[in-house]
Amino acid sequence: MWARAARRVLRAPGGGGRGFASKAGGGGVSAGGEAAPQERGRVPGDVIEHLERLALVDFGSREAVARLEKAVAFADRLRAVDTDGVQPMESVLEDRCLYLRPDNVVEGNCAEELLQNAHRVMEEYFVAPPGNITLPKLDEQELFSKS
Amino acid sequence: MAAPVLRWSCPARRWILANIDRGPRHGRGSPTGSRSSGKRGQSSVAQQPLATAQKPRKGEHQWAAVVGLEIHAQISSNSKLFSGSQVHFAAPPNSLVSFFDASLPGTLPVLNRRCVEAAVMTGLALNCHINKKSLFDRKHYFYADLPAGYQITQQRLPIAVKGSLAYSVFVGKNRNQVINKTVRIKQIQLEQDSGKSLHDDLRSQTLIDLNRAEGQLRVDANISVHHPGEPLGVRTEVKNLNSARFLAKAIDYEIQRQIEELENGGEILNETRSFDCKLGCTVPMRDKEGKQDYRFIPEPNLPPLLLYDSASLPAGADPQQVINIDQLREQLPELPRVTREKLVQQYGMLPEHSFTLLNEVGLLEFFQNVMKETRAEPKRVTSWVLNTFLGFLKQQNLAVSESPVTPSALAELLNLLDQKTISSAAAKKVFEELWRSGGKTPAQIVSEKRLELMQDQEALEELCQATMEKHPQVVMDLKKGNPRAINKLIGLVRKATLNRADPTVIKEMLERQLSS
């Protein structure tokens, strides 16, 4: 995998681990268009590994990681906006009314239908592996790496 | 899935002084006498020069334990928190599951009004501040009983915060000394429950039922230790606690374990542990993944939850779509603390009795029904209900609702006792018979077993005289001043009356006759 190469890359000045994206939020950016000089936001190897476990994605190549880095850099441009004294937005729905449903039973009772979707069932139970199967460790992966 | 759950966390402080090696309290100071760290215990004998130089012992620093409880309580509602599936115990697997509960693509959560009301009422009962605006978030992790890959919860801004609960602990030999304590409630939040997993080790698989998880009330404990004045220590989470007793044991064990580990130079891992009730110890549970990263994000499908009070209620709003905190506060039933205070004032009962009355389902109602129909003193009724009645229930592991003795029957029995128709001892016998044979009334049992007290005072006087004449040596003993002789006489008279006379009445009569 790409990971061996990625590890040798300069770490982002924001700090290692997961710290790269978590600069102090909120305001503090200088007014006017001039943002602080953007770091070349390289994503460290252990962060990639961490993301792959959390989201079960596979950054299969150096290009994919580069695309991730570009996406993060693109989003980072939001920091140029002065948000001093501005309440953060919760979601695009935040001005909508949250609908409250009355406490009546109106659905369910469709076990057969639901179980049809399952890969394996046993007597009306879904069947799953015995526990979480951990991803193979990075070192093992390198053995199988595609360059 | 998506059974509605209230989660509340209460941080509590506990201070303990842990001496691992329980040596003698005196005589431990450092030879130089200058080590007054202030963390040491009470006796500051460090100034004394010591005959024998002692090394400062390990385990003498004061430790403080911090314990937080995470309590998951299932809300009593007809349908689930985010879907219209039924909430019902012990239904066929996956029969109470809607498309949303199965996390099929395209389904959306729809918030149950009743669950919000329940959360607000819980917050009010626990003296919380109700957040007029609260938010829903997604907590991501992978497990087979969580098909969506995330749980909808309220992490950033829950529905209620900063509450408290006052409670009493009974200590002392007779458990009659009351210590009043308060615990802080950090927050109350609404969240989904996961499904239920059944582990099939034989076939190395897990069976998933998405109806709901087990247990209507679950507790996890978070425990850490530190030296007072220093930052908090690393905490561990202990799960699999099935009773209050195990909760206490697990916490005690874990505190000791952490202290010993740290005193021996080890470190505490931020991990999840399980309580092994057979061994009485905690063991690591999950494999060493380190701290879980739940990647909290706002739930994009649910706008903020807005609550109102009478002042802020928008005019002309659909009452089905708004929740008024003030209205819910008025609908709160009388809280136990208030009920207990009323009992103490109205009936003059001891506080610990009021606790017992309220801690057993249906017992208070039973007591009040007896009180309605009897002329007996409240103290006597309390004693009979809490000792005799409750004792019988516990012995046979019955609930109040399953009692063979009705409040009316007990009331009638207590009336007979009050009128001195029967003696105390006879009353107990009647009660036993009432318990055994549900149908008869106390009056019937009394007449069947001939348990009435002798009403004829003259006949009793004659019997006393006769007994004393028959046993002159006992009378002599009594006149000589032997205190036990009177009891013997009373016993003899009682026998003669076939146990139908009150011992205290007999005693009075005998003493009167003797003195005349």
Short mmCIF file of all heavy atoms in Angstrom, two decimals, chain A residues 18 50 54 56 90 93-94 98-101 103-111 114 120 122 124-130 132, chain B residues 77-80 83-85 93-95 97-98 110-114 135 142 144 156 198 204-208 293 295 300 303 321:
data_model
loop_
_atom_site.label_atom_id
_atom_site.label_comp_id
_atom_site.label_asym_id
_atom_site.label_seq_id
_atom_site.Cartn_x
_atom_site.Cartn_y
_atom_site.Cartn_z
N ARG A 18 -4.63 12.95 15.16
CA ARG A 18 -5.85 13.49 14.57
C ARG A 18 -5.89 15.00 14.64
O ARG A 18 -6.88 15.61 14.35
CB ARG A 18 -7.07 12.94 15.31
CG ARG A 18 -7.16 11.46 15.15
CD ARG A 18 -8.24 10.91 16.01
NE ARG A 18 -7.65 10.01 16.98
CZ ARG A 18 -8.01 9.98 18.24
NH1 ARG A 18 -8.92 10.78 18.68
NH2 ARG A 18 -7.45 9.15 19.07
N HIS A 50 -6.17 5.31 10.79
CA HIS A 50 -7.27 5.54 11.73
C HIS A 50 -8.58 5.76 10.98
O HIS A 50 -9.61 5.18 11.30
CB HIS A 50 -6.91 6.74 12.59
CG HIS A 50 -7.86 7.02 13.69
ND1 HIS A 50 -8.05 6.17 14.75
CD2 HIS A 50 -8.69 8.06 13.90
CE1 HIS A 50 -8.95 6.68 15.56
NE2 HIS A 50 -9.36 7.82 15.06
N LEU A 54 -12.15 3.64 11.03
CA LEU A 54 -13.39 4.27 11.48
C LEU A 54 -14.48 4.22 10.42
O LEU A 54 -15.65 4.10 10.73
CB LEU A 54 -13.13 5.73 11.86
CG LEU A 54 -12.39 5.99 13.15
CD1 LEU A 54 -12.26 7.49 13.35
CD2 LEU A 54 -13.13 5.37 14.32
N LEU A 56 -14.22 2.41 7.45
CA LEU A 56 -14.15 1.22 6.58
C LEU A 56 -14.03 1.62 5.12
O LEU A 56 -14.76 1.15 4.26
CB LEU A 56 -15.37 0.32 6.80
CG LEU A 56 -15.41 -0.36 8.18
CD1 LEU A 56 -16.56 -1.35 8.22
CD2 LEU A 56 -14.10 -1.05 8.51
N GLU A 90 -26.35 24.78 13.05
CA GLU A 90 -26.47 23.38 13.45
C GLU A 90 -26.59 22.49 12.23
O GLU A 90 -25.89 21.52 12.06
CB GLU A 90 -27.71 23.17 14.33
CG GLU A 90 -27.81 24.09 15.52
CD GLU A 90 -26.66 23.92 16.48
OE1 GLU A 90 -25.93 22.91 16.36
OE2 GLU A 90 -26.45 24.80 17.32
N LEU A 93 -31.35 22.42 8.41
CA LEU A 93 -32.75 22.31 8.83
C LEU A 93 -33.05 23.13 10.08
O LEU A 93 -34.14 23.04 10.62
CB LEU A 93 -33.07 20.84 9.16
CG LEU A 93 -33.03 19.84 8.01
CD1 LEU A 93 -33.27 18.44 8.57
CD2 LEU A 93 -34.06 20.18 6.97
N GLU A 94 -32.07 23.90 10.55
CA GLU A 94 -32.21 24.40 11.91
C GLU A 94 -33.37 25.36 12.09
O GLU A 94 -33.80 25.61 13.21
CB GLU A 94 -30.92 25.05 12.39
CG GLU A 94 -30.52 26.28 11.63
CD GLU A 94 -29.21 26.86 12.13
OE1 GLU A 94 -28.48 26.14 12.85
OE2 GLU A 94 -28.93 28.01 11.82
N LEU A 98 -39.38 20.72 14.21
CA LEU A 98 -39.19 19.29 14.40
C LEU A 98 -40.56 18.66 14.64
O LEU A 98 -41.24 18.98 15.62
CB LEU A 98 -38.27 19.04 15.60
CG LEU A 98 -38.05 17.60 16.02
CD1 LEU A 98 -37.57 16.76 14.85
CD2 LEU A 98 -37.04 17.53 17.15
N TYR A 99 -40.97 17.80 13.76
CA TYR A 99 -42.30 17.20 13.86
C TYR A 99 -42.35 16.21 15.02
O TYR A 99 -41.45 15.37 15.17
CB TYR A 99 -42.65 16.51 12.53
CG TYR A 99 -43.97 15.77 12.59
CD1 TYR A 99 -45.17 16.48 12.60
CD2 TYR A 99 -44.02 14.38 12.64
CE1 TYR A 99 -46.38 15.81 12.67
CE2 TYR A 99 -45.23 13.71 12.71
CZ TYR A 99 -46.41 14.44 12.73
OH TYR A 99 -47.61 13.77 12.80
N LEU A 100 -43.40 16.31 15.83
CA LEU A 100 -43.58 15.38 16.96
C LEU A 100 -44.68 14.39 16.63
O LEU A 100 -45.82 14.76 16.39
CB LEU A 100 -43.95 16.16 18.23
CG LEU A 100 -42.87 17.11 18.75
CD1 LEU A 100 -43.42 17.95 19.88
CD2 LEU A 100 -41.66 16.31 19.23
N ARG A 101 -44.32 13.13 16.65
CA ARG A 101 -45.26 12.07 16.28
C ARG A 101 -46.04 11.63 17.50
O ARG A 101 -45.49 11.49 18.59
CB ARG A 101 -44.43 10.91 15.72
CG ARG A 101 -45.19 9.69 15.28
CD ARG A 101 -44.20 8.68 14.67
NE ARG A 101 -43.12 8.36 15.57
CZ ARG A 101 -43.18 7.45 16.54
NH1 ARG A 101 -44.29 6.78 16.73
NH2 ARG A 101 -42.13 7.24 17.31
N ASP A 103 -47.80 9.03 20.08
CA ASP A 103 -47.25 7.75 20.54
C ASP A 103 -48.18 6.58 20.20
O ASP A 103 -48.71 5.91 21.08
CB ASP A 103 -47.01 7.83 22.06
CG ASP A 103 -46.31 6.60 22.61
OD1 ASP A 103 -45.59 5.95 21.84
OD2 ASP A 103 -46.51 6.32 23.80
N ASN A 104 -48.36 6.33 18.90
CA ASN A 104 -49.20 5.21 18.48
C ASN A 104 -48.37 4.19 17.72
O ASN A 104 -47.39 4.53 17.08
CB ASN A 104 -50.33 5.71 17.55
CG ASN A 104 -51.20 6.72 18.25
OD1 ASN A 104 -51.49 6.61 19.44
ND2 ASN A 104 -51.62 7.74 17.50
N VAL A 105 -48.81 2.94 17.79
CA VAL A 105 -48.12 1.88 17.06
C VAL A 105 -48.69 1.83 15.65
O VAL A 105 -49.87 1.54 15.46
CB VAL A 105 -48.31 0.52 17.76
CG1 VAL A 105 -47.66 -0.58 16.95
CG2 VAL A 105 -47.74 0.58 19.17
N VAL A 106 -47.86 2.12 14.65
CA VAL A 106 -48.35 2.16 13.28
C VAL A 106 -47.54 1.31 12.33
O VAL A 106 -47.84 1.22 11.15
CB VAL A 106 -48.39 3.62 12.74
CG1 VAL A 106 -49.40 4.45 13.52
CG2 VAL A 106 -47.02 4.24 12.79
N GLU A 107 -46.44 0.72 12.82
CA GLU A 107 -45.65 -0.09 11.90
C GLU A 107 -44.95 -1.22 12.66
O GLU A 107 -45.11 -1.37 13.86
CB GLU A 107 -44.64 0.79 11.15
CG GLU A 107 -43.84 1.71 12.06
CD GLU A 107 -43.02 2.72 11.27
OE1 GLU A 107 -42.86 2.56 10.04
OE2 GLU A 107 -42.51 3.66 11.89
N GLY A 108 -44.20 -1.98 11.92
CA GLY A 108 -43.57 -3.17 12.49
C GLY A 108 -44.29 -4.39 11.96
O GLY A 108 -45.02 -4.34 10.98
N ASN A 109 -44.05 -5.50 12.62
CA ASN A 109 -44.77 -6.72 12.25
C ASN A 109 -44.49 -7.15 10.81
O ASN A 109 -45.39 -7.57 10.09
CB ASN A 109 -46.28 -6.50 12.43
CG ASN A 109 -46.96 -7.79 12.84
OD1 ASN A 109 -46.29 -8.79 13.08
ND2 ASN A 109 -48.27 -7.77 12.88
N CYS A 110 -43.25 -6.99 10.39
CA CYS A 110 -42.89 -7.38 9.02
C CYS A 110 -41.58 -8.15 9.02
O CYS A 110 -40.73 -7.93 8.16
CB CYS A 110 -42.82 -6.16 8.11
SG CYS A 110 -41.78 -4.83 8.77
N ALA A 111 -41.44 -9.03 9.97
CA ALA A 111 -40.18 -9.75 10.12
C ALA A 111 -39.81 -10.52 8.86
O ALA A 111 -38.66 -10.49 8.41
CB ALA A 111 -40.26 -10.69 11.33
N LEU A 114 -38.38 -8.26 6.21
CA LEU A 114 -37.05 -7.76 6.54
C LEU A 114 -36.01 -8.86 6.41
O LEU A 114 -34.90 -8.63 5.93
CB LEU A 114 -37.04 -7.21 7.97
CG LEU A 114 -37.82 -5.93 8.21
CD1 LEU A 114 -37.84 -5.62 9.69
CD2 LEU A 114 -37.20 -4.78 7.46
N ARG A 120 -27.80 -14.11 5.76
CA ARG A 120 -28.02 -15.35 6.49
C ARG A 120 -29.02 -15.10 7.61
O ARG A 120 -28.92 -14.12 8.33
CB ARG A 120 -26.71 -15.86 7.10
CG ARG A 120 -25.82 -16.58 6.10
CD ARG A 120 -24.53 -17.01 6.79
NE ARG A 120 -24.80 -17.98 7.85
CZ ARG A 120 -23.96 -18.26 8.83
NH1 ARG A 120 -22.81 -17.61 8.90
NH2 ARG A 120 -24.25 -19.14 9.76
N MET A 122 -31.34 -17.21 10.86
CA MET A 122 -31.58 -18.45 11.58
C MET A 122 -32.82 -18.24 12.43
O MET A 122 -32.77 -17.47 13.39
CB MET A 122 -30.38 -18.81 12.45
CG MET A 122 -30.65 -20.05 13.26
SD MET A 122 -29.28 -20.52 14.32
CE MET A 122 -28.32 -21.51 13.21
N GLU A 124 -35.67 -16.50 12.27
CA GLU A 124 -36.09 -15.12 12.49
C GLU A 124 -35.05 -14.23 13.16
O GLU A 124 -35.36 -13.13 13.58
CB GLU A 124 -37.38 -15.07 13.33
CG GLU A 124 -38.53 -15.75 12.63
CD GLU A 124 -39.77 -15.82 13.51
OE1 GLU A 124 -39.63 -15.96 14.75
OE2 GLU A 124 -40.88 -15.70 12.95
N TYR A 125 -33.84 -14.71 13.30
CA TYR A 125 -32.74 -13.85 13.73
C TYR A 125 -31.84 -13.55 12.55
O TYR A 125 -31.63 -14.39 11.68
CB TYR A 125 -31.87 -14.55 14.79
CG TYR A 125 -32.51 -14.64 16.15
CD1 TYR A 125 -33.20 -15.79 16.53
CD2 TYR A 125 -32.39 -13.60 17.06
CE1 TYR A 125 -33.77 -15.88 17.78
CE2 TYR A 125 -32.96 -13.69 18.32
CZ TYR A 125 -33.65 -14.83 18.68
OH TYR A 125 -34.22 -14.93 19.91
N PHE A 126 -31.32 -12.33 12.50
CA PHE A 126 -30.24 -12.06 11.56
C PHE A 126 -28.99 -12.74 12.08
O PHE A 126 -28.75 -12.77 13.29
CB PHE A 126 -29.97 -10.54 11.45
CG PHE A 126 -31.12 -9.76 10.89
CD1 PHE A 126 -31.98 -9.07 11.73
CD2 PHE A 126 -31.34 -9.69 9.52
CE1 PHE A 126 -33.05 -8.34 11.23
CE2 PHE A 126 -32.40 -8.96 9.00
CZ PHE A 126 -33.26 -8.30 9.86
N VAL A 127 -28.17 -13.24 11.18
CA VAL A 127 -26.94 -13.90 11.61
C VAL A 127 -25.76 -13.01 11.28
O VAL A 127 -25.62 -12.53 10.15
CB VAL A 127 -26.77 -15.27 10.93
CG1 VAL A 127 -25.44 -15.88 11.32
CG2 VAL A 127 -27.91 -16.20 11.31
N ALA A 128 -24.91 -12.80 12.26
CA ALA A 128 -23.74 -11.94 12.08
C ALA A 128 -22.51 -12.70 12.58
O ALA A 128 -22.64 -13.68 13.30
CB ALA A 128 -23.93 -10.65 12.87
N PRO A 129 -21.32 -12.23 12.21
CA PRO A 129 -20.11 -12.87 12.73
C PRO A 129 -20.05 -12.75 14.25
O PRO A 129 -20.76 -11.92 14.83
CB PRO A 129 -18.97 -12.07 12.08
CG PRO A 129 -19.59 -11.34 10.96
CD PRO A 129 -21.03 -11.13 11.29
N PRO A 130 -19.22 -13.54 14.90
CA PRO A 130 -19.22 -13.58 16.36
C PRO A 130 -18.87 -12.26 17.03
O PRO A 130 -19.21 -12.03 18.16
CB PRO A 130 -18.20 -14.66 16.72
CG PRO A 130 -17.42 -14.89 15.48
CD PRO A 130 -18.30 -14.53 14.34
N ASN A 132 -16.73 -8.09 16.30
CA ASN A 132 -16.08 -7.25 15.30
C ASN A 132 -14.79 -7.91 14.84
O ASN A 132 -14.00 -8.36 15.66
CB ASN A 132 -15.78 -5.86 15.89
CG ASN A 132 -17.02 -4.98 15.85
OD1 ASN A 132 -18.02 -5.33 15.23
ND2 ASN A 132 -16.95 -3.85 16.51
N SER B 77 -43.40 3.78 26.89
CA SER B 77 -44.20 4.35 25.80
C SER B 77 -44.73 3.21 24.95
O SER B 77 -44.30 2.07 25.07
CB SER B 77 -43.35 5.30 24.94
OG SER B 77 -42.32 4.58 24.30
N ASN B 78 -45.69 3.55 24.08
CA ASN B 78 -46.28 2.50 23.23
C ASN B 78 -45.38 2.19 22.05
O ASN B 78 -45.28 1.05 21.62
CB ASN B 78 -47.64 2.95 22.70
CG ASN B 78 -48.60 3.26 23.82
OD1 ASN B 78 -48.57 2.61 24.85
ND2 ASN B 78 -49.44 4.26 23.62
N SER B 79 -44.79 3.25 21.50
CA SER B 79 -43.98 3.07 20.31
C SER B 79 -42.57 3.58 20.57
O SER B 79 -42.29 4.19 21.60
CB SER B 79 -44.60 3.80 19.12
OG SER B 79 -44.75 5.17 19.41
N LYS B 80 -41.70 3.35 19.60
CA LYS B 80 -40.29 3.64 19.80
C LYS B 80 -39.98 5.13 19.67
O LYS B 80 -40.83 5.94 19.31
CB LYS B 80 -39.45 2.83 18.81
CG LYS B 80 -39.54 1.33 19.08
CD LYS B 80 -38.59 0.55 18.18
CE LYS B 80 -38.72 -0.94 18.47
NZ LYS B 80 -37.87 -1.77 17.61
N SER B 83 -39.49 5.62 15.67
CA SER B 83 -40.34 4.94 14.70
C SER B 83 -41.63 4.51 15.38
O SER B 83 -41.75 4.52 16.60
CB SER B 83 -39.63 3.71 14.13
OG SER B 83 -39.68 2.64 15.06
N GLY B 84 -42.59 4.12 14.59
CA GLY B 84 -43.90 3.74 15.12
C GLY B 84 -44.03 2.27 15.43
O GLY B 84 -45.14 1.75 15.50
N SER B 85 -42.91 1.57 15.61
CA SER B 85 -43.00 0.16 15.99
C SER B 85 -43.35 0.05 17.46
O SER B 85 -43.05 0.93 18.26
CB SER B 85 -41.68 -0.57 15.78
OG SER B 85 -41.01 -0.10 14.69
N PRO B 93 -38.64 -12.56 17.75
CA PRO B 93 -37.51 -11.77 17.27
C PRO B 93 -37.85 -11.01 15.99
O PRO B 93 -38.49 -11.54 15.09
CB PRO B 93 -36.42 -12.80 16.99
CG PRO B 93 -36.90 -14.09 17.51
CD PRO B 93 -38.32 -13.97 17.91
N ASN B 94 -37.44 -9.75 15.95
CA ASN B 94 -37.59 -8.90 14.78
C ASN B 94 -39.02 -8.68 14.34
O ASN B 94 -39.28 -8.25 13.20
CB ASN B 94 -36.76 -9.48 13.61
CG ASN B 94 -35.27 -9.36 13.89
OD1 ASN B 94 -34.78 -8.28 14.22
ND2 ASN B 94 -34.57 -10.46 13.80
N SER B 95 -39.98 -8.92 15.25
CA SER B 95 -41.38 -8.70 14.89
C SER B 95 -41.81 -7.27 15.17
O SER B 95 -42.84 -6.81 14.68
CB SER B 95 -42.29 -9.67 15.67
OG SER B 95 -42.15 -9.41 17.05
N VAL B 97 -40.07 -4.52 14.43
CA VAL B 97 -39.03 -3.77 13.72
C VAL B 97 -39.62 -3.16 12.46
O VAL B 97 -40.21 -3.87 11.64
CB VAL B 97 -37.85 -4.70 13.36
CG1 VAL B 97 -36.79 -3.94 12.61
CG2 VAL B 97 -37.28 -5.33 14.60
N SER B 98 -39.46 -1.84 12.32
CA SER B 98 -39.92 -1.19 11.11
C SER B 98 -38.74 -1.05 10.14
O SER B 98 -37.62 -1.39 10.48
CB SER B 98 -40.47 0.20 11.43
OG SER B 98 -39.40 1.04 11.83
N VAL B 110 -38.44 9.78 13.09
CA VAL B 110 -39.54 10.69 13.41
C VAL B 110 -39.72 10.65 14.92
O VAL B 110 -40.01 9.61 15.49
CB VAL B 110 -40.86 10.26 12.72
CG1 VAL B 110 -41.93 11.32 12.94
CG2 VAL B 110 -40.64 10.04 11.24
N LEU B 111 -39.56 11.78 15.58
CA LEU B 111 -39.48 11.84 17.03
C LEU B 111 -40.84 11.62 17.69
O LEU B 111 -41.85 12.19 17.29
CB LEU B 111 -38.91 13.20 17.45
CG LEU B 111 -38.65 13.43 18.93
CD1 LEU B 111 -37.72 12.37 19.50
CD2 LEU B 111 -38.05 14.82 19.13
N ASN B 112 -40.84 10.78 18.72
CA ASN B 112 -42.05 10.43 19.46
C ASN B 112 -42.31 11.47 20.54
O ASN B 112 -41.48 11.69 21.43
CB ASN B 112 -41.83 9.03 20.08
CG ASN B 112 -43.02 8.53 20.88
OD1 ASN B 112 -43.87 9.30 21.32
ND2 ASN B 112 -43.08 7.23 21.08
N ARG B 113 -43.44 12.12 20.51
CA ARG B 113 -43.79 13.18 21.44
C ARG B 113 -43.77 12.70 22.89
O ARG B 113 -43.27 13.39 23.79
CB ARG B 113 -45.19 13.70 21.09
CG ARG B 113 -45.62 14.85 21.94
CD ARG B 113 -47.13 15.10 21.88
NE ARG B 113 -47.49 16.00 22.93
CZ ARG B 113 -47.45 17.32 22.84
NH1 ARG B 113 -47.10 17.90 21.71
NH2 ARG B 113 -47.77 18.08 23.86
N ARG B 114 -44.30 11.53 23.12
CA ARG B 114 -44.39 10.98 24.48
C ARG B 114 -42.99 10.86 25.10
O ARG B 114 -42.81 11.12 26.28
CB ARG B 114 -45.10 9.63 24.43
CG ARG B 114 -44.81 8.69 25.57
CD ARG B 114 -45.47 9.07 26.87
NE ARG B 114 -44.96 8.24 27.95
CZ ARG B 114 -44.78 8.63 29.20
NH1 ARG B 114 -45.10 9.86 29.55
NH2 ARG B 114 -44.31 7.80 30.11
N LEU B 135 -30.27 19.29 20.89
CA LEU B 135 -29.87 18.83 19.55
C LEU B 135 -29.64 17.33 19.54
O LEU B 135 -29.28 16.73 20.56
CB LEU B 135 -28.57 19.54 19.15
CG LEU B 135 -28.59 21.06 19.25
CD1 LEU B 135 -27.18 21.61 19.08
CD2 LEU B 135 -29.51 21.64 18.17
N PHE B 142 -19.08 0.50 15.06
CA PHE B 142 -19.54 -0.68 14.32
C PHE B 142 -19.87 -1.81 15.28
O PHE B 142 -19.05 -2.19 16.10
CB PHE B 142 -18.45 -1.16 13.36
CG PHE B 142 -18.22 -0.22 12.22
CD1 PHE B 142 -17.02 0.44 12.09
CD2 PHE B 142 -19.21 0.02 11.28
CE1 PHE B 142 -16.80 1.32 11.04
CE2 PHE B 142 -19.00 0.90 10.23
CZ PHE B 142 -17.79 1.55 10.11
N ALA B 144 -22.76 -5.42 15.23
CA ALA B 144 -23.82 -6.07 14.45
C ALA B 144 -25.22 -5.66 14.89
O ALA B 144 -26.15 -5.64 14.09
CB ALA B 144 -23.67 -7.58 14.54
N ARG B 156 -24.07 16.89 22.27
CA ARG B 156 -23.62 18.27 22.44
C ARG B 156 -24.52 19.04 23.38
O ARG B 156 -24.06 19.75 24.27
CB ARG B 156 -23.63 19.00 21.09
CG ARG B 156 -22.48 18.67 20.18
CD ARG B 156 -22.71 19.29 18.83
NE ARG B 156 -23.92 18.77 18.21
CZ ARG B 156 -24.66 19.44 17.32
NH1 ARG B 156 -24.33 20.65 16.97
NH2 ARG B 156 -25.73 18.88 16.79
N LEU B 198 -27.38 -12.24 20.53
CA LEU B 198 -27.25 -13.53 21.22
C LEU B 198 -26.02 -14.22 20.66
O LEU B 198 -25.93 -14.44 19.46
CB LEU B 198 -28.48 -14.41 20.96
CG LEU B 198 -29.79 -13.87 21.50
CD1 LEU B 198 -30.95 -14.71 20.99
CD2 LEU B 198 -29.78 -13.88 23.01
N SER B 204 -20.09 -20.22 16.27
CA SER B 204 -19.25 -19.04 16.07
C SER B 204 -19.99 -17.97 15.27
O SER B 204 -19.55 -17.53 14.22
CB SER B 204 -17.97 -19.45 15.33
OG SER B 204 -17.01 -18.45 15.46
N GLN B 205 -21.15 -17.58 15.80
CA GLN B 205 -21.91 -16.53 15.14
C GLN B 205 -22.73 -15.78 16.19
O GLN B 205 -22.82 -16.20 17.34
CB GLN B 205 -22.85 -17.12 14.08
CG GLN B 205 -23.88 -18.09 14.66
CD GLN B 205 -24.63 -18.86 13.58
OE1 GLN B 205 -24.22 -18.89 12.42
NE2 GLN B 205 -25.73 -19.48 13.96
N THR B 206 -23.28 -14.67 15.77
CA THR B 206 -24.13 -13.88 16.65
C THR B 206 -25.50 -13.74 16.03
O THR B 206 -25.62 -13.47 14.83
CB THR B 206 -23.52 -12.48 16.87
OG1 THR B 206 -22.19 -12.62 17.35
CG2 THR B 206 -24.33 -11.69 17.87
N LEU B 207 -26.52 -13.92 16.83
CA LEU B 207 -27.89 -13.78 16.32
C LEU B 207 -28.41 -12.42 16.75
O LEU B 207 -28.28 -12.04 17.91
CB LEU B 207 -28.78 -14.88 16.89
CG LEU B 207 -28.28 -16.30 16.64
CD1 LEU B 207 -29.22 -17.32 17.27
CD2 LEU B 207 -28.17 -16.57 15.14
N ILE B 208 -28.98 -11.69 15.80
CA ILE B 208 -29.40 -10.32 16.07
C ILE B 208 -30.91 -10.20 16.04
O ILE B 208 -31.57 -10.60 15.08
CB ILE B 208 -28.81 -9.37 15.00
CG1 ILE B 208 -27.29 -9.53 14.92
CG2 ILE B 208 -29.19 -7.93 15.30
CD1 ILE B 208 -26.55 -9.08 16.13
N ASP B 293 -13.20 6.41 18.95
CA ASP B 293 -13.46 7.68 18.30
C ASP B 293 -14.84 7.59 17.66
O ASP B 293 -15.01 6.92 16.66
CB ASP B 293 -12.39 7.94 17.22
CG ASP B 293 -12.55 9.31 16.58
OD1 ASP B 293 -13.59 9.95 16.80
OD2 ASP B 293 -11.63 9.73 15.87
N ARG B 295 -16.66 9.96 16.33
CA ARG B 295 -16.90 10.89 15.21
C ARG B 295 -18.30 11.48 15.28
O ARG B 295 -19.11 11.35 14.37
CB ARG B 295 -16.72 10.17 13.87
CG ARG B 295 -15.30 9.72 13.62
CD ARG B 295 -15.15 9.16 12.23
NE ARG B 295 -16.01 8.01 12.04
CZ ARG B 295 -16.48 7.60 10.85
NH1 ARG B 295 -16.16 8.26 9.76
NH2 ARG B 295 -17.25 6.54 10.77
N PRO B 300 -28.30 14.97 10.75
CA PRO B 300 -28.78 15.89 9.71
C PRO B 300 -30.28 15.80 9.46
O PRO B 300 -30.86 16.70 8.87
CB PRO B 300 -27.99 15.46 8.47
CG PRO B 300 -27.35 14.17 8.79
CD PRO B 300 -27.43 13.92 10.23
N PRO B 303 -34.15 18.50 12.98
CA PRO B 303 -33.90 19.88 13.40
C PRO B 303 -33.79 19.94 14.91
O PRO B 303 -34.11 18.98 15.60
CB PRO B 303 -35.15 20.63 12.93
CG PRO B 303 -35.87 19.71 12.02
CD PRO B 303 -35.48 18.33 12.37
N GLN B 321 -48.06 19.89 18.48
CA GLN B 321 -46.71 20.09 17.98
C GLN B 321 -45.83 20.92 18.90
O GLN B 321 -44.68 21.19 18.57
CB GLN B 321 -46.76 20.76 16.60
CG GLN B 321 -47.22 19.83 15.50
CD GLN B 321 -46.39 18.57 15.44
OE1 GLN B 321 -45.15 18.65 15.47
NE2 GLN B 321 -47.04 17.43 15.39
#
